[in-house]
Amino acid sequence: MVSEIRDERVRSVSRLSRLLSRPELGAAAGTVLVFVFFAITAGGTGLFSAKGIINFLEVSAQLGILAAPVALLMIAGEFDLSVGSMIGFAGILIAIPAVFWGWPIWLSLLFTFAVCGGIGALNGLAVVRTGLPSFIVTLGSLFMLRGLTLGLTRGISGRTQVSGVHELAQNDPLNSLFSGQVFSGLIAWLSNIGLIGKRADGLPSISGIPVSIVWWIVLTLACTWLLTRSRFGNWIFAAGGEANAARNLGVPVARTKITLFVMTAMAAALFAAIQVLVTGSADTLRGTQKEFEAIIAVVIGGTLLTGGYGSAVGAMFGALIFGVVQMGIFYTGIDTDWFKLFMGAMMVIAVLFNSYVRNRAMRSR
Amino acid sequence: MFSLAKLVKPALGLLAGFTMMAAATTLAAADETRVVFVTHGQSGDPYWSVVKNGMDDAAKTLGVKAEYLAPETFDMAKMAQMIDAIAASKPDGMVVSIPDAAALSAPVKNAIASGIPVIIIDSGGSKLTHDLGGLLFMGQDEFQAGVTAGERIKALGLTKAVCANHEVGNSSLDDRCAGFAKGLGVDVPVMNGVIDPTEMKNRVIAYMTAHADTQFILAVGASGAEPTLAALDELGLSGKVKTGTFDLSPTILQAVVAGKMEWGIDAQQYAMGYIPVAMFDLWKKYKIMPIADYPTGPGFVTKDTAASVIELSKLGKR
């Protein structure tokens, strides 16, 4: 009798338990919990109408665009607290050349992405060269960028808000990449057959899907591919798991981290580009506290604060939970003075539930 | 290899530079009038940005030395320390805002007692100014401005309103909402908003979905008004649900011109920056000072007048 010789180094794991040990499982469970909560408390209020869904998805999408690369960076064991200030800074970098110096929008967008990428590289260089915690280094850049933004904007424009971007962007080749809607035809058709409600003036309640939602999904998929299917992804896990061992094995830890800081800075620039082109104005206060919201989304998504474990899809669920809670509480009719209390509590419950589910799944292996 | 010494040297140089600049500031020529503003409004705030522009323009035009100071956050203890520190540097005139009388009365009183003339702007009001011994009060009484706004809406026959507050916890914005409810004569719910324009816009959409009978939305600043306009546009309610706002911006003025917004309430805060500088210059040279308070608002900018101030708003003067 000849039996197959099994390699003792390989343990066979069933598909189910492999699924259960994925970092985003807990976050997916948390998302379900939050949806159930709002289905009960705000079911009939329009939160789950087409308009309501787009409403919270748009908030989730903008945060999610930030959260995906932040997740990769946190898996590599670093923080970037400067992304919030970078949003304000990037917005001004887009608006000022366009409004005051007559640059075409596409040029000021390219300029902004280049400058922000450069600052991201500086953040990364400062972290790997000095060996200081990235928390401290990027806390410094958080304040420096805010100061720079305010100083530049007031110095050039005499105001702290720069508006008038809408008119300039109308015929720009890059405008529709960042603002506007997609699938308008499909939405109109769905509305005609009665699946999507109509406004008082007879138009469909939504005119399309905001392009930011597409960015969110594409960016999350790209980050997921990078993390799980590329060599760079292995380097990220190695750098966050045990940097010294990784270095000894030949992983370019410094280069990996610097690249990730460039990515988070560019994501902030993308966030800013979307907000500036959608609202038509830039403001020195934009992006305030987004650095924390991005970290919250990533942590809800199951990424460990200590690095070495996590996922980009988890961050997507985290951003979704954040968006649903942010907007959902509004539909429940809870007195808005209590808003932040509920939001904080919902967040903590979602994270607790998330880690409970994950621990159960890990134990059952 | 990273070297700490390389970093330390330029940092020390920079520090020395700042110290020298600060010293030069205090030792400015004795005949030049020096006016210092200590307010609770960061110059990053669009409203206070205009105050600072007024101050800067006056200083340049009149050849007066003017400085603008404000704590980084709404921190009254810090502001009290700043007032003490500035008083010790003996300026020719001090301009302060008093959003919290309990915390700031003592340092302002001390400054006045030590011989520094003080003008109070924006918050504090007339009575407090004269109780403390200030020369005069300039500004817009936020509560009264709110009352006027409420009365105007009542006159249009509207009763179902909401106050969209983009910065809950800022007492002057609370005053605007409270005054509005008084003027309208009915309860007006406050909608909690945020600075982030996307979230603010979507909250207005959510609120309007849940309260479809709302007839009027009052925004209490530009950061709330612009997303409110966007939300009404998206809902197809632009012009149907009426809206108005405190403070101005080019976008707000264009909306007023287009009939999408009833009015913007102008506190004319440029004057709060400009005029005290001029007054203190006259005070130092000729001991001239107006004998009555100077209310700067509420000035309602409506469809008839909005077009003429758009350019000025772009320049940060309105």
Side-chain angles (χ1 to χ4, degrees):
Chain A
M1 197 179 97
V2 180
S3 74
E4 217 177 301
I5 299 170
R6 288 187 57 168
D7 188 333
E8 80 279 4
R9 292 169 302 177
V10 177
R11 187 164 62 107
S12 105
V13 180
S14 80
R15 211 171 262 273
L16 179 70
S17 72
R18 237 186 311 169
L19 184 75
L20 285 175
S21 67
R22 299 281 317 156
E24 53 273 338
L25 171 84
T31 308
V32 172
L33 180 78
V34 167
F35 271 89
V36 168
F37 173 81
F38 283 112
I40 296 167
T41 54
T45 56
L47 174 62
F48 296 109
S49 69
K51 185 78 201 162
I53 291 169
I54 291 298
N55 206 334
F56 68 71
L57 283 184
E58 194 182 14
V59 173
S60 300
Q62 294 194 353
L63 182 60
I65 285 169
L66 217 49
V70 167
L72 301 199
L73 182 68
M74 281 172 68
I75 295 168
E78 304 290 349
F79 284 99
D80 188 350
L81 292 182
S82 71
V83 288
S85 306
M86 188 76 80
I87 291 169
F89 180 65
I92 292 302
L93 283 190
I94 297 167
I96 285 196
V99 173
F100 288 91
W101 307 336
W103 293 18
I105 294 287
W106 61 266
L107 184 61
S108 48
L109 284 169
L110 292 182
F111 168 71
T112 301
F113 279 104
V115 173
C116 291
I119 295 174
L122 281 180
N123 273 339
L125 264 174
V127 168
V128 299
R129 283 285 169 81
T130 61
L132 291 171
S134 52
F135 193 90
I136 299 302
V137 171
T138 57
L139 190 61
S141 11
L142 181 159
F143 286 108
M144 286 194 279
L145 282 174
R146 275 276 174 239
L148 191 62
T149 309
L150 183 55
L152 281 177
T153 315
R154 280 195 41 81
I156 294 169
S157 74
R159 289 181 58 86
T160 56
Q161 292 171 324
V162 181
S163 47
V165 180
H166 263 321
E167 299 83 70
L168 301 170
Q170 262 161 14
N171 297 314
D172 195 87
L174 293 185
N175 186 28
S176 55
L177 257 185
F178 302 105
S179 74
Q181 322 227 306
V182 290
F183 301 123
S184 310
L186 177 71
I187 298 291
W189 179 74
L190 286 174
S191 169
N192 274 339
I193 61 168
L195 277 177
I196 288 175
K198 293 198 191 301
R199 311 195 307 205
D201 53 8
L203 293 170
S205 64
I206 54 171
S207 49
I209 313 274
V211 74
S212 53
I213 295 175
V214 178
W215 274 107
W216 179 33
I217 294 166
V218 169
L219 214 60
T220 304
L221 292 179
C223 283
T224 303
W225 181 85
L226 207 59
L227 197 58
T228 56
R229 292 276 178 271
S230 76
R231 190 169 62 162
F232 187 63
N234 284 335
W235 291 351
I236 295 174
F237 280 113
E242 184 49 72
N244 265 327
R247 220 171 271 124
N248 292 337
L249 285 170
V251 172
V253 171
R255 206 173 87 205
T256 306
K257 288 187 174 176
I258 293 171
T259 310
L260 290 171
F261 275 108
V262 173
M263 283 174 62
T264 53
M266 299 280 258
L270 174 60
F271 185 115
I274 290 172
Q275 238 176 26
V276 167
L277 290 174
V278 170
T279 60
S281 67
D283 187 321
T284 54
L285 291 177
R286 293 273 170 85
T288 306
Q289 287 196 359
K290 286 294 167 206
E291 59 279 350
F292 297 115
E293 291 180 12
I295 292 173
I296 292 170
V298 169
V299 171
I300 295 177
T303 297
L304 291 184
L305 278 168
T306 45
Y309 180 87
S311 83
V313 174
M316 183 179 209
F317 282 119
L320 182 60
I321 292 181
F322 198 89
V324 174
V325 172
Q326 274 270 47
M327 301 314 302
I329 287 176
F330 241 85
Y331 287 89
T332 59
I334 294 168
D335 183 340
T336 49
D337 285 350
W338 299 93
F339 189 86
K340 283 194 175 138
L341 174 69
F342 276 87
M343 203 171 90
M346 287 290 296
M347 290 293 161
V348 174
I349 291 167
V351 176
L352 280 177
F353 185 65
N354 166 342
S355 69
Y356 167 79
V357 173
R358 192 174 62 223
N359 287 341
R360 284 292 298 260
M362 300 292 257
R363 226 181 298 141
S364 69
R365 264 215 293 204
Chain B
M1 183 53 206
F2 169 75
S3 139
L4 195 64
K6 266 192 211 156
L7 260 188
V8 168
K9 243 181 160 177
L12 282 180
L14 209 63
L15 205 66
F18 277 131
T19 321
M20 262 154 43
M21 260 163 60
T25 306
T26 28
L27 296 177
D31 55 336
E32 193 181 39
T33 309
R34 174 170 168 257
V35 181
V36 183
F37 282 60
V38 185
T39 81
H40 66 283
Q42 303 164 52
S43 55
D45 181 311
Y47 176 90
W48 286 95
S49 169
V50 176
V51 176
K52 185 167 182 286
N53 286 341
M55 180 195 87
D56 287 339
D57 287 357
K60 214 156 101 197
T61 313
L62 303 167
V64 170
K65 175 134 199 51
E67 296 154 39
Y68 186 94
L69 292 172
E72 279 310 299
T73 52
F74 191 78
D75 182 343
M76 287 303 109
K78 191 135 175 230
M79 195 176 153
Q81 291 161 3
M82 282 180 164
I83 293 174
D84 285 339
I86 293 303
S89 77
K90 298 269 174 212
D92 297 308
M94 189 151 80
V95 183
V96 294
S97 63
I98 308 189
D100 181 344
L104 300 177
S105 288
V108 170
K109 227 173 174 166
N110 287 341
I112 292 168
S114 68
I116 295 164
V118 172
I119 290 176
I120 290 159
I121 61 166
D122 184 71
S123 350
S126 196
K127 182 173 183 305
L128 180 70
T129 298
H130 298 289
D131 286 351
L132 293 176
L135 292 172
L136 61 97
F137 176 74
M138 272 187 80
Q140 164 174 280
D141 184 318
E142 304 295 359
F143 185 83
Q144 270 313 316
V147 171
T148 314
E151 285 165 356
R152 282 187 171 227
I153 296 312
K154 194 176 177 183
L156 293 177
L158 306 179
T159 49
K160 276 285 191 185
V162 60
C163 187
N165 188 344
H166 62 276
E167 203 180 340
V168 180
N170 179 335
S171 63
S172 65
L173 302 188
D174 291 342
D175 286 347
R176 291 173 175 186
C177 287
F180 179 71
K182 172 133 193 272
L184 192 59
V186 294
D187 270 352
V188 174
V190 175
M191 194 210 87
N192 267 359
V194 277
I195 292 279
D196 182 275
T198 309
E199 279 169 38
M200 182 72 195
K201 178 202 78 183
N202 287 4
R203 284 191 190 186
V204 174
I205 290 175
Y207 185 88
M208 291 306 291
T209 311
H211 305 83
D213 57 346
T214 305
Q215 298 166 315
F216 183 84
I217 306 174
L218 177 73
V220 288
S223 309
E226 294 184 10
T228 299
L229 286 165
L232 290 178
D233 252 348
E234 251 186 53
L235 289 167
L237 295 172
S238 207
K240 285 175 205 148
V241 171
K242 303 243 183 275
T243 176
T245 184
F246 279 85
D247 305 343
L248 306 178
S249 78
T251 309
I252 289 170
L253 291 168
Q254 271 148 15
V256 174
V257 171
K260 292 178 176 180
M261 191 164 245
E262 291 295 297
W263 30 250
I265 300 172
D266 191 4
Q268 305 189 88
Q269 68 272 30
Y270 184 84
M272 295 182 214
Y274 194 102
I275 295 187
V277 175
M279 284 177 177
F280 277 131
D281 196 35
L282 293 177
W283 179 248
K284 176 165 181 179
K285 287 179 180 154
Y286 316 119
K287 284 279 171 285
I288 293 172
M289 182 61 62
I291 53 163
D293 288 341
Y294 187 142
T296 60
F300 282 78
V301 178
T302 59
K303 199 168 181 171
D304 303 328
T305 51
S308 61
V309 292
I310 289 181
E311 282 310 310
L312 294 170
S313 181
K314 281 187 184 155
L315 294 170
K317 318 271 182 201
R318 291 292 292 267

